[in-house]
Amino acid sequence: MTVSEAREAQDRELRALQAALAAEHAAVYGYGVVGGRIGKDRRPEARTAYDAHRARRDALVRAVKDVGGEPVAAAAGYALPFQVPDAAAAVRLAAELEDRMAGVYGDLVRAGTGERRREAADAMREAAVRSVRWSSRSVAFPGLAERGGPASGSPAPTT
């Protein structure tokens, strides 16, 4: 691998790390909304997911710094993909957030190497499992199928 190719690979990995970090910021925000609307019976599940996304977000901040980047900051707010007036919509939002996270982590799996790739694969698997728990549906290849449909990307930041 040439120096130029190595630099490009590092740049791809940093972009994927930053994208995952931005998505985790959005997921933390989204789970704040979920937690405010979810039914009492699923509140512990929402809290566990919220805590998991906060931990992943914090790990990604460190990872971006470790490769010499300046971690992307959280937006003041995020536009949700749909209105969340009740518990049923909160469950749909949680599933949507997890589908999106699986896609973002799929990108990091492709861009990463070694331990970073393994961690991204673990995060993708965890997001896929949470998505199934929320939606009761699964896809054959989490992180790939989500990229082709309208669910791609993260909630848009708002100012």
Side-chain angles (χ1 to χ4, degrees):
M1 179 180 290
T2 68
V3 172
S4 166
E5 291 169 333
R7 187 172 298 127
E8 178 56 34
Q10 288 173 334
D11 289 346
R12 271 194 312 273
E13 184 176 49
L14 178 57
R15 285 191 303 271
L17 282 168
Q18 292 281 36
L21 176 55
E24 287 292 6
H25 285 313
V28 168
Y29 178 91
Y31 268 103
V33 174
V34 168
R37 303 283 194 284
I38 198 76
K40 185 178 179 183
D41 58 326
R42 297 202 74 182
R43 201 167 293 146
E45 187 178 358
R47 180 60 191 206
T48 298
Y50 174 78
D51 290 343
H53 287 291
R54 287 182 56 210
R56 290 273 181 204
R57 177 202 60 198
D58 295 347
L60 286 165
V61 166
R62 289 187 299 275
V64 168
K65 288 179 179 179
D66 287 348
V67 297
E70 179 64 31
V72 63
Y78 294 84
L80 299 174
F82 48 82
Q83 296 217 0
V84 186
D86 56 26
V91 168
R92 283 194 332 271
L93 177 59
E96 175 82 8
L97 292 170
E98 297 300 346
D99 284 346
R100 291 175 179 205
M101 291 309 305
V104 170
Y105 279 112
D107 291 343
L108 187 53
V109 167
R110 285 186 287 280
T113 58
E115 184 65 17
R116 179 116 41 240
R117 179 176 279 170
R118 188 193 62 73
E119 290 169 359
D122 288 346
M124 184 175 70
R125 178 186 45 79
E126 290 169 11
V129 168
R130 281 192 298 266
S131 176
V132 169
R133 286 185 181 146
W134 287 116
S135 69
S136 300
R137 64 175 174 72
S138 65
V139 296
F141 298 102
L144 298 178
E146 295 84 356
R147 305 310 278 172
S152 295
S154 300
T158 60
T159 53

